[in-house]
Structures are given as structure tokens and as C-alpha cells.
Amino acid sequence: MLASLLCLALGALLAWQVQAQQGERTALVMTIDDAIGPAISDYFLRGLELAEERDAALVVVEMDTPGGLSDSMRSMIRAMLSSRVPVAIYVSPAGARAASAGTYLLYASHVAAMAPATHLGSATPVQLGGGGLPGMDDPAQPTDDGETPASDDKAASDDTEQAEDNGASSDSGTPEKRRGETAMERKVLEDAVAYIRSLAERHGRNADWAEQAVREAVNLTAREALEQNVVDVVARDLDDLLTQIDGRTVVMEDGERTLATADLVIERFDPGWRTKLLAVITNPNVAYFLMIIGFYGLIFELSNPGGLVPGTIGIISLLLALFAFQVLPVNYAGLALILVGLGLIVGEALMPSFGILGIGGIVAFVIGSVMLMDADTLNISLPMIGGIALLAAGLMLWVMTRFIGLRRRVPRTGQEELVDSEATALEDFAGQGHVRLMGERWNAHSTRPLTRGQTVRVTAVDGLTLEVEPLDDSS
């Protein structure tokens, strides 16, 4: 009886706790403080899934990013737009920024918020291989006396002629919209403009400034962004943010929704070991180094079968590198040049060409390494490229000097090894006789008389007969 009452009491307590947890409304808070890449995208998507599983009332992303990869950014935006849980992007803490891809994420969020002393902008797309779109440099700034710097009068006249060719008046005072110089640049730029304008129009934000951020790479402070209807809220901290957006109406995929955030319980979902490991592996410098280790590990294993350690390390490193290259924006021409360069360097070691293969391999390796990553924010460190190239050059130089030294050494195998060797006469003879050489009995011929036990030197080998002479006659 007592046991039954105890079980009922425990069951009632558990039911009450479950009901309390289900009735507790939470805000899931995530943190993004790095470049937007595969690791950040994976972390963000898992956070949204967790928020939906727990029926959270709001997802808050505290963000500080210099930008990142377009593919990762777009996957995050697609997930955000289709999320059943409203997402608030909060640029914080003070001093943080939402640059490039961060600006797109801010425009795509259901609530766009910034902390004081933060900024956003510089959303111009970057061409493949790094660097901004040609023709997207900052326009000439006027000097203190109001005149344009006289460093390039021809450029100013060219700009005027270009404006007239496009049907724009140079006297209108309205700057010509930058559209890129080549067809590919215009295609990328116009796609980015249309994309960010569609995000702005979805949430009723300033689409004209969004276009300007893409075309002109302009920036805004938090206060300016609020005044120009780029963001919805400027909040001191997370509590202030939840207070200000309480009762705000946001646009979800299934229609409008009114937020109730006044009494939300904050639950943090910080990046775990998986995100950190993925971030390390997908770091361009790490992926590049893993590829080098993997390549040389396999070469050492194939040249010395049975070592196991180089092969094991090599295959693991190479697989990790290939995984990273799968999710990173890799230029395959650069990757091919790296592999060709490494192959030529190894070829120099296996069949010396007096530097032709080795030098060509180093040149191909360096060019391929510079070309490898197709992103401005994810580039391989030039000192790392230079260091590995110098290491390969040093290895090639060492191999060449070793081969040159081997060519100068006296042969140690075959008949050549017997010449200049010392032997012992086994009997007295002049002409034909026998000597002992390296523990073996050999036929010998000498033009000088020899006595038993006398030490002689081999001067030549004729089949199975040694030409010998007394050792004291050798010079």
C-alpha cells in the first residue's frame, strides 16, 4: 500500500515537472563570432532544428562576423525564411560588425537588431579567386578645398564620357550605379542586388540602402541603421532586446505573427566540439596542410612498404583534406596545379633531371596554392605557402647533392667493386696463379713474380681472372 502511494506521488511529481517544462517559454540563444562557412552553417541549422524540437518562442543569434561564403550564407537564409520559430539576428557585443554575408543575414532575419557601437555593410560580392569586383574601388574623394584630387584627370574625363554613353547626365549630380565591367561581374553583382532587395522587401526594410551596400560597399553605424530603417531595434543587451521586441509583428512563412518575448527564459546553445572541429578542418590553411601531409605520407609508404605509420597518417590526412575541399570553395585548376607540382618534385627525387622537374614542380605548386581558394575571406596564408615551397626546394636540393655525391663515389657492387681491392697470394707464381680475395679463391695473373702470402692489388678483372700487381708497386 505504501509502495503504491509512493509510486503515485512520484508519477504526479514527474507529470507536474513535465507540464511545467512544457509551459515554460524559452528563447534559444546562439553565438556566431567567426567567418560564415560550413561549420557556422551546420551549427546554425542544428540550432534551428533544436529550437523547433523544443518549441522555442524565439531564436536569438548574437553575431559578429566579417562575412564569409555565399553558399553557406544562402543555406542559412533559406533555413531562416522557412523556420517555424522567429529568428532575431543581434549584432553584438559593442564593437561587433555584420559585414558582407552578415548584412544579408541581418536583412533576412525576422528581427534585425544591433548593439550600440556596432556597424554593418560592405556587402559587395567578391569575385572568384579573391579581390573585389573590378571597377568597384572607392570613388575619388574631394580634397579639403572641394576639388577632386588631380592625380588622374583622365580618369575623371573617362567617367564623364562613360556616363554620357550610358545616357546619364554628368550635370545631374546623381552618381552612376556601378554594374561591373565584364558580363560575369555584372551577373554576380545584379544577382546579389536582387537577392538583398528581395530580403529587404519581405521584412519592410530599406531596400535602396541594401542595394547601395552591395554596389558601393557602404557601411552604417547602429544608430544610422535604425534611423534609415535598416534594422528594427538598437538594444543595449539581450534583456533590452527581448523587452523592445515584445508585441512586435514579424513576417513568417505562414503569415504574420506577434512576438511575446517579455518573460522568455534564455537557453544558450553554444558551438560544441563538432562545430569547433569542423571549423578547424575547414580552415583553408589546415586543409591545405592536411593535403600536403597526406600526399607525402602516401609517397613514403609506397616507397617503403610495410612502414604503416606514414601510410596511416597520410590516408587519414588526405581524407580529411578532401572532406574540407568538398565544402570549401576550391578552384580545381589550383588543386590540379598543386598535385602536378608535388608530382614533379617527387619525380625529381626519383629520377634527377638536374633541377628541371623540381623547379617546374615548385612553380606549379606555388601558383596552384595561391589559386586554390575561391573566396576573399578564406585564403591560404602566403607565409605558409612560401614555407612549404622552401621546404620542398630544400628537399630537392638535398636530393640533387646526394645524387651528385653518389656519382663520384667508387662503385661498391659488381666487377667495379673488385678493382683496387687488396688480395693475398696463395702460392709463389709468376704469370698464372691463385689469390684469395674477400674470402674467395680467384685465378690471378701477374707480370711480376709473387711469393706466398704477399699482398697484391687488383688492377683489372678479365672474366674469372684477376690482373694483380704487388701492393708496393702501386702508386
Side-chain angles (χ1 to χ4, degrees), residues 234-404:
V234 173
R236 297 184 306 274
D237 52 33
L238 196 56
D239 292 334
D240 186 25
L241 171 65
L242 296 179
T243 300
Q244 290 194 49
I245 65 176
D246 185 41
R248 188 178 194 87
T249 300
V250 296
V251 178
M252 303 294 293
E253 186 178 33
D254 56 356
E256 293 186 349
R257 184 183 305 179
T258 301
L259 301 178
T261 60
D263 300 319
L264 293 182
V265 176
I266 294 176
E267 179 184 355
R268 290 197 169 270
F269 176 60
D270 294 323
W273 66 268
R274 168 178 169 171
T275 302
K276 294 176 181 178
L277 178 62
L278 187 60
V280 170
I281 294 175
T282 54
N283 182 296
N285 294 304
V286 175
Y288 176 76
F289 196 59
L290 286 172
M291 181 190 66
I292 301 299
I293 293 176
F295 185 85
Y296 279 110
L298 292 181
I299 291 296
F300 292 152
E301 181 65 32
L302 293 175
S303 60
N304 299 280
L308 299 181
V309 174
T312 302
I313 296 176
I315 193 66
I316 293 174
S317 300
L318 196 58
L319 288 175
L320 291 174
L322 291 175
F323 167 76
F325 289 155
Q326 180 185 4
V327 296
L328 286 172
V330 173
N331 184 315
Y332 289 100
L335 181 60
L337 281 172
I338 290 176
L339 296 178
V340 169
L342 291 173
L344 290 176
I345 293 171
V346 173
E348 179 67 41
L350 297 179
M351 47 181 186
S353 60
F354 300 98
I356 296 177
L357 291 179
I359 293 174
I362 290 174
V363 171
F365 176 82
V366 171
I367 295 175
S369 299
V370 174
M371 294 171 54
L372 184 61
M373 293 297 166
D374 274 344
D376 186 50
T377 55
L378 295 174
N379 289 326
I380 299 173
S381 170
L382 291 180
M384 173 175 282
I385 296 174
I388 293 179
L390 289 176
L391 184 63
L395 177 63
M396 181 187 69
L397 181 62
W398 177 81
V399 170
M400 291 178 60
T401 56
R402 290 286 295 174
F403 272 105
I404 292 174

Side-chain angles (χ1 to χ4, degrees), residues 63-110:
M63 186 171 67
D64 178 12
T65 180
L69 301 180
S70 174
D71 290 343
S72 299
M73 174 200 75
R74 286 177 180 262
S75 66
M76 294 170 66
I77 290 177
R78 284 194 297 269
M80 196 183 328
L81 295 179
S82 61
S83 173
R84 297 197 303 269
V85 181
V87 178
I89 298 290
Y90 180 36
V91 184
S92 69
R97 57 178 170 167
S100 191
T103 299
Y104 290 83
L105 290 169
L106 198 63
Y107 262 89
S109 63
H110 303 100

Side-chain angles (χ1 to χ4, degrees), residues 53 57 82 111 114 118 132 144-145 157 167 172 196 204 228 281 377 407 418:
E53 289 175 2
S82 61
V111 176
M114 300 177 70
T118 58
D144 293 339
D145 56 5
S157 63
S172 63
I196 200 168
Q228 297 190 34
I281 294 175
T377 55
R407 291 174 62 90
L418 302 179

